[in-house]
Amino acid sequence: MTGVILVTGGGRGIGAATARLAAKRGYAVCINYASAVEPAETLAAEIRDRGGRAFAHRADVAREDEVEAMFAALDRELGPITALVNNAGLSGHISRLDAAKPEAIRRVVEVNVMGVMLCAREAVKRMSSLHGGAGGVIVNISSVAASLGNPGEYVWYAATKGAVDSFTIGLAKEVAKEGIRVNAVAPGMVATEIHAAGGDAGRLERVGKTVPLGRHGEVEEIAEPVLWLMSHEARYITGEILRVSGGR
Ligand code: NAP
């Protein structure tokens, strides 16, 4: 067994590809979801059918009580966590800032920033040698939006990913001597439902053509570097933000 991993938002998109690959690499997997129960339960069953250990757990990562309950369930079901992928996220509806609703912006900030911090906080409490833990790895899913800014689309989303980058750098330094590495992967344009959910399904093809490598990315192309950052091969890497964007 490689370890015990929690993938937030692990039922669909990049999270599902990451959870599937982690199981293939020998991790016992907790697949978190917010509302789409069917894909998360199906993926957990698929992993168990192949002889792995997995369970799906519903929790809104923006809610402290639900995050605490999820980590308690993880402790019971799979044992001490060794790896966390902070993947759950959303962009909100594409628009200019002056046309966006404050409550929609607030929700994106709460999920993309508070969610990452709350889950990392619970993970550090368990992984840190300061608390008797055996160490671990955290990978936060950022976005190239953090540096592009995405004007006219969702500048608030870009700002949340900028926060994820700063958090990654700071937390990595804070816990480095306690056996925990913290890195981020910043995807470019990846084929998932997030674009249609933002109200612009055509964005994938349109922006995909402008990528230097000439196409959008697939979820597996994000999962691979996430698992690599968690591996022994990446043992000297912490506080890094790895762009996986086809050169964008
Ligand atoms: P996706 O297909 O829309 O999946 C989003 C996942 O996040 C779903 O599993 C969803 O759960 C979960 N989620 C949303 N709100 C949540 C909450 N409050 N609590 C727990 N889970 C929640 O999106 P994706 O493209 O795979 O995105 C995954 C991550 O990659 C996000 O952080 C996103 O910002 C980042 N990213 C994506 C792209 C891209 O082009 N796709 C580019 C850069 C960065 P349910 O299944 O229950 O709805």
Side-chain angles (χ1 to χ4, degrees), residues 6 10-11 14 22 39 41 46 59 79 84 99-100 103 118 121 153 158 175 180 190 199 205 207 213 222 230 233:
L6 166 62
I14 291 168
E41 289 290 359
E46 175 193 313
L84 166 67
E103 61 268 28
L118 290 173
R121 182 172 173 273
E153 293 187 326
V175 298
I180 307 174
V190 183
E205 289 311 314
V207 181
L213 280 184
I222 307 302
M230 295 190 151
E233 283 71 29

Side-chain angles (χ1 to χ4, degrees), residues 30-111:
C30 174
I31 299 161
N32 157 254
Y33 64 96
S35 55
V37 56
E38 201 267 330
E41 289 290 359
T42 303
L43 178 54
E46 175 193 313
I47 292 170
R48 288 194 299 269
D49 287 349
R50 290 192 180 147
R53 292 173 72 205
F55 77 106
H57 184 94
R58 199 210 71 78
D60 177 349
V61 295
R63 289 196 48 167
E64 185 182 339
D65 56 343
E66 295 189 12
V67 168
E68 285 175 0
M70 173 168 65
F71 274 80
L74 180 58
D75 293 339
R76 278 194 311 275
E77 298 280 334
L78 302 177
I81 185 171
T82 63
L84 166 67
V85 182
N86 267 318
N87 166 79
L90 71 166
S91 64
H93 202 271
I94 284 175
S95 76
R96 285 172 49 95
L97 179 66
D98 47 14
K101 292 194 166 59
E103 61 268 28
I105 295 173
R106 183 172 290 115
R107 180 67 182 152
V108 175
V109 172
E110 284 178 356
V111 173

